[in-house]
C-alpha cells in the first residue's frame, strides 16, 4: 500500500494506521512546517517528504507510483466559525482545500480510480459546507473526539472508506489521562475574587472585561477539556485542582488527549510548541476507527 498525506502535520495518520493494524509500503508526506517535519522524522524516519502541496504536479505524483490512500487535513483558519471576519474558502490558507481536491481528482483520473481518500476539517457555515461536499463528491461525517478522548473536538470527515458506526463512547475524562498533577501549579487571589463555576470549567475575570477568555479558564479533572488549540495551548488548557489551586496541562497529557504515544513530540524542546503541534493535528483514535474500514473487502 502506498499512502500520500497532504498537510501531513506531525503525521498522526501514521499513528492511526498502526492503531488500525494497517500495513503500508511507502508513505509520502507533504508538509512545510519545520517543527512538524522534525517530529515526523523522529517517529517515522522512513517517511518520504515531497514538499509544498501547491508545487505537487503530475510529474511528482507520477513518480510516486500507484497511490492507494490519500489523506489530509487542509488548513481551517479561514472557515472556522470561531473566527470573526473569516473569508471562508477565499482565505489564502483555507483555499488550499482545492489543492487536495486537485490532487485527489488527478489520482482518480490518471493513477488509481479506486483510490481511498480521507479529508478532515472544521465545520464551516452552510454555504461553504455545500461547496466542500460538492467538490469532495460526498457528504461529511461529523465526529466528536470526546468519544475516544478527554477533549471535546468536533470535526468533519469526508471519505469513501466505509467504516460503519461512529466510535464507541469510552467516557474518558481528564483524570484518566493525568501524567503529573504537580506540573506548573499556580494560585492567584485575583482569581478567587472573580471565580465562577460553570458546567465544564472554572472561569475568572482578572482583567475586568466582564467575561472569561480561554486563558481565564481551568477545566475539571472529572470533566473534559476544550478542543486542544494550536496557539497559546498551555495557557488555554489549564486544569482545576480544587480549592484555590490550578495547574497547566503537561505536554504528555496533551499528547494523550490526541491519542498519541507519550513523548511523541519530545524532540521539540518548547512545551508550548509541542502542545501546539498536537492541537494542529488529528485525534488518532478517531482516524484509526475509520481506517479499520480499509480491511473490509
Amino acid at each position: 500500500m502506498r499512502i500520500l498525506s497532504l498537510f501531513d502535520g506531525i503525521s498522526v495518520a501514521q499513528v492511526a494506521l498502526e492503531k488500525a493494524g494497517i500495513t503500508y509500503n511507502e508513505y509520502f508526506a507533504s508538509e512545510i512546517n519545520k517543527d512538524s517535519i522534525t517530529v515526523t522524522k523522529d517517529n517515522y524516519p522512513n517517511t518520504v517528504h515531497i514538499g509544498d502541496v501547491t508545487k505537487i504536479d503530475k510529474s511528482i505524483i507520477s513518480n510516486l507510483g500507484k497511490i492507494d490512500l490519500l489523506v489530509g487535513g487542509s488548513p481551517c483558519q479561514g472557515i472556522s466559525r470561531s473566527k470573526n471576519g473569516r473569508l471562508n474558502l477565499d482565505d489564502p490558507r483555507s483555499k488550499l482545500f482545492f489543492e487536495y481536491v486537485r490532487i485527489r481528482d488527478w489520482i482518480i483520473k490518471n493513477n488509481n480510480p479506486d483510490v481511498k481518500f480521507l479529508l478532515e476539517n472544521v465545520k464551516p457555515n452552510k454555504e461553504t459546507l455545500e461547496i466542500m461536499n460538492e467538490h469532495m463528491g460526498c457528504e461529511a461525517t461529523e465526529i466528536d473526539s470526546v468519544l475516544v478522548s478527554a477533549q471535546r473536538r468536533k470535526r468533519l470527515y469526508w471519505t469513501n472508506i466505509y467504516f460503519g458506526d461512529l466510535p464507541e463512547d469510552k467516557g474518558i475524562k481528564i483524570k484518566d489521562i493525568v501524567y503529573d498533577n504537580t506540573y506548573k501549579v499556580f494560585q492567584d487571589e485575583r482569581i478567587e475574587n472573580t471565580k465562577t463555576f460553570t458546567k465544564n470549567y472554572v472561569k475568572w475575570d482578572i482583567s475586568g472585561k466582564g467575561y472569561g477568555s480561554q486563558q481565564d479558564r481551568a477545566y475539571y479533572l472529572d470533566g473534559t477539556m476544550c478542543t486542544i488549540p494550536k496557539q497559546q495551548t498551555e495557557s488555554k488548557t489549564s486544569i482545576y485542582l480544587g480549592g484555590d489551586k490550578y495547574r497547566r496541562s503537561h505536554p504528555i497529557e496533551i499528547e494523550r488527549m490526541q491519542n498519541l504515544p507519550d513523548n511523541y513530540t519530545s524532540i521539540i524542546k518548547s512545551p508550548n510548541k509541542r502542545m501546539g503541534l498536537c492541537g494542529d493535528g488529528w485525534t488518532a483514535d478517531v482516524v484509526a476507527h475509520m481506517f479499520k474500514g480499509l480491511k473490509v473487502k
Side-chain angles (χ1 to χ4, degrees):
M1 176 181 279
R2 287 187 179 90
I3 299 166
L4 174 56
S5 175
L6 308 178
F7 322 103
D8 187 59
I10 55 175
S11 221
V12 179
Q14 296 198 70
V15 178
L17 286 162
E18 288 185 0
K19 285 174 173 278
I22 305 296
T23 58
Y24 52 97
N25 305 104
E26 293 182 276
Y27 187 98
F28 304 102
S30 172
E31 178 57 55
I32 60 173
N33 182 281
K34 292 182 179 180
D35 287 336
S36 295
I37 294 171
T38 296
V39 171
T40 297
K41 286 182 176 180
D42 185 51
N43 289 280
Y44 297 101
N46 292 327
T47 302
V48 179
H49 295 270
I50 60 173
D52 188 337
V53 67
T54 65
K55 298 178 181 178
I56 297 176
D57 57 21
K58 63 181 180 180
S59 64
I60 292 176
I61 306 177
S62 297
N63 288 329
L64 303 182
K66 180 184 176 183
I67 299 299
D68 301 291
L69 174 65
L70 176 70
V71 300
S74 55
C76 66
Q77 296 94 330
I79 64 176
S80 173
R81 292 186 294 176
S82 67
K83 305 292 184 182
N84 294 323
R86 60 185 180 276
L87 297 174
N88 299 309
L89 293 175
D90 289 328
D91 183 276
R93 298 157 297 182
S94 289
K95 71 180 181 181
L96 290 173
F97 160 78
F98 295 109
E99 295 293 336
Y100 180 99
V101 174
R102 172 181 65 84
I103 293 170
R104 191 275 310 263
D105 289 351
W106 189 92
I107 292 173
I108 290 174
K109 183 178 180 180
N110 302 282
N111 180 280
N112 180 9
D114 298 317
V115 65
K116 297 298 182 181
F117 62 82
L118 171 67
L119 174 73
E120 177 266 2
N121 215 308
V122 299
K123 188 174 183 177
N125 63 32
K126 182 179 179 180
E127 180 182 0
T128 301
L129 178 58
E130 290 175 352
I131 293 171
M132 296 176 77
N133 285 344
E134 180 180 358
H135 281 276
M136 290 302 297
C138 61
E139 292 190 1
T141 299
E142 181 176 287
I143 303 178
D144 193 335
S145 296
V146 78
L147 295 173
V148 297
S149 168
Q151 66 162 322
R152 288 167 275 115
R153 187 186 192 92
K154 292 182 179 181
R155 291 293 184 267
L156 296 185
Y157 300 87
W158 291 263
T159 186
N160 63 347
I161 303 169
Y162 177 75
F163 57 87
D165 297 330
L166 297 182
E168 181 181 353
D169 188 351
K170 296 180 179 180
I172 302 172
K173 307 300 181 185
I174 293 173
K175 63 184 179 183
D176 299 319
I177 55 88
V178 165
Y179 175 75
D180 184 359
N181 254 338
T182 67
Y183 182 75
K184 293 190 178 182
V185 175
F186 63 93
Q187 296 169 281
D188 191 327
E189 64 179 24
R190 295 175 301 170
I191 292 176
E192 303 312 300
N193 293 333
T194 60
K195 181 166 64 177
T196 301
F197 293 91
T198 72
K199 179 181 178 181
N200 297 312
Y201 50 81
V202 178
K203 67 177 182 178
W204 53 87
D205 182 27
I206 293 176
S207 65
K209 294 180 180 178
Y211 62 90
S213 64
Q214 276 190 286
Q215 294 94 329
D216 298 331
R217 301 174 186 173
Y219 294 83
Y220 306 130
L221 280 165
D222 60 354
T224 51
M225 183 63 70
C226 62
T227 298
I228 304 304
K230 178 181 178 179
Q231 303 291 340
Q232 299 176 295
T233 314
E234 184 176 80
S235 64
K236 293 180 178 180
T237 57
S238 296
I239 296 171
Y240 180 52
L241 298 177
D244 63 347
K245 292 185 178 180
Y246 313 80
R247 73 172 179 89
R248 305 301 188 188
S249 289
H250 191 282
I252 287 179
E253 292 164 342
I254 298 298
E255 290 170 341
R256 290 176 178 179
M257 288 185 192
Q258 288 286 54
N259 309 135
L260 298 172
D262 287 1
N263 287 310
Y264 185 80
T265 60
S266 61
I267 195 168
I268 303 299
K269 300 311 175 186
S270 164
N272 206 44
K273 280 187 177 181
R274 285 179 62 182
M275 293 188 284
L277 291 172
C278 293
D280 197 32
W282 289 349
T283 306
D285 284 5
V286 172
V287 182
H289 175 79
M290 289 184 282
F291 280 166
K292 288 178 181 179
L294 294 170
K295 294 182 174 182
V296 178
K297 299 297 183 181

